Amino acid sequence: MDAAAHLHREVRAFHDAARRAAGAGDAPVVPSCPDWTMSDLVFHLAAVHRFVIAIIRDRLDGPPDPAELARTEFPADTAGWPVSGRHPTPGPIPATLLDAFEEGAARLEALFRRHSPDDPAWTWSREHTVGFWLRMQIIEAAVHRWDAENAVGAAGPIHEEIAVDAITQTFEVMAPARRAWTSAPPGAGERFRFLRADGPGDWVVCFDGERVRVGDGTDFDVELAGTASDLMLFLWRRIPAGALAVRGDKAVLDRYFDLVPPV
């Protein structure tokens, strides 16, 4: 997978959708991100970029201080920008916010190009590498590009390479993390099969007590089949299960997002 090319393409497509929204008057609501307008979405991704930049650039051994990031990483003119804890943000998308997003995204891309994926970096996961952040930022850019396009028209699918990696990452990284961060119930052996319909890809995920076990095979309680893009979008709570082909015990399917809660 050409990680740098994927990140650049998804970031540019996100920015293009945000610019289209800015040209249409007031910031549209983002249906897939409840209580956010496009201004909130742009600010969120711009802040995430600066969060990652600070970690890698400054070789931090923990997360950066949000107040310090706000003071040092954003322009002085933030009139009309989202205010922390107060959303949705009404009114037009500020031009300074769009410019700040573009500038931060370019700095992040340049930082990834200067570093090897194996270079050490603090992360919230067990993998402490720059490559972890690159993988995460490609997925985040793709998901939020879909959000942005969906807010202004028809959203294009997630690139198949990103989608397949994001499905695997969900089960290897995000599902265990979300369960650890929340009061998720213990698994009772529920087995979910996710079957890709547009190419190779078959994931069987079992929730066993506190463990999330990933394998393959045909033994499952419920199966969801669809394109790699649609499977990823379901796992990231962007489309409903009804958009996929479902086979098996739908009562077990209803438990999936109890076992993997949002954060």
Side-chain angles (χ1 to χ4, degrees):
M1 184 168 78
D2 188 341
H6 281 314
L7 180 62
H8 180 77
R9 184 188 62 253
E10 294 296 337
V11 164
R12 292 307 311 168
F14 176 92
H15 187 254
D16 289 346
R19 288 282 184 190
R20 292 202 305 273
D26 287 348
V29 298
V30 182
S32 49
C33 299
D35 298 326
W36 278 10
T37 67
M38 188 73 83
S39 290
D40 299 299
L41 182 60
V42 173
F43 178 73
H44 165 75
L45 198 50
V48 168
H49 288 170
R50 284 160 173 80
F51 178 91
V52 177
I53 287 169
I55 289 169
I56 299 172
R57 180 195 62 203
D58 300 337
R59 299 182 181 181
L60 300 181
D61 58 5
D65 177 7
E68 182 68 9
L69 288 181
R71 185 181 68 82
T72 61
E73 294 289 335
F74 285 114
D77 178 11
T78 57
W81 283 38
V83 175
S84 179
R86 188 191 310 162
H87 47 75
T89 301
I93 304 171
T96 54
L97 176 57
L98 291 169
D99 292 343
F101 170 83
E102 188 171 30
E103 183 270 337
R107 284 199 287 135
L108 181 63
E109 288 186 49
L111 191 63
F112 281 133
R113 286 195 296 271
R114 290 198 301 271
H115 282 269
S116 165
D118 295 328
D119 285 350
W122 176 87
T123 76
W124 47 260
S125 79
R126 290 176 292 184
E127 179 189 349
H128 294 276
T129 67
V130 169
F132 173 86
W133 287 119
L134 176 56
R135 184 187 195 191
M136 288 292 300
Q137 289 311 295
I138 292 169
I139 295 170
E140 182 137 10
V143 169
H144 289 321
R145 183 271 301 165
W146 189 93
D147 291 329
E149 290 181 348
N150 188 52
V152 297
I158 307 296
H159 189 285
E160 63 178 23
E161 288 185 340
I162 300 175
V164 167
D165 185 58
I167 295 166
T168 301
Q169 188 263 11
T170 295
F171 303 136
E172 292 178 346
V173 179
M174 294 306 301
R178 287 176 178 174
R179 288 180 57 75
W181 295 336
T182 63
S183 56
E190 298 92 343
R191 293 176 63 87
F192 300 83
R193 185 187 190 194
F194 295 86
L195 181 63
R196 182 182 173 194
D198 60 339
D202 183 353
W203 300 261
V204 175
V205 184
C206 178
F207 294 87
D208 182 9
E210 301 304 322
R211 297 177 59 201
V212 180
R213 295 190 286 108
V214 186
D216 54 22
T218 57
D219 182 18
F220 58 85
D221 296 307
V222 63
E223 176 190 85
L224 293 90
T227 66
S229 175
D230 282 350
L231 291 174
M232 174 191 173
L233 291 169
F234 167 78
L235 292 168
W236 284 75
R237 301 175 70 99
R238 263 46 186 193
I239 63 173
L244 303 168
V246 178
R247 182 163 64 104
D249 190 341
K250 293 187 178 181
V252 174
L253 174 58
D254 290 341
R255 280 181 51 79
Y256 181 81
F257 289 115
D258 294 328
L259 293 163
V260 187
V263 292

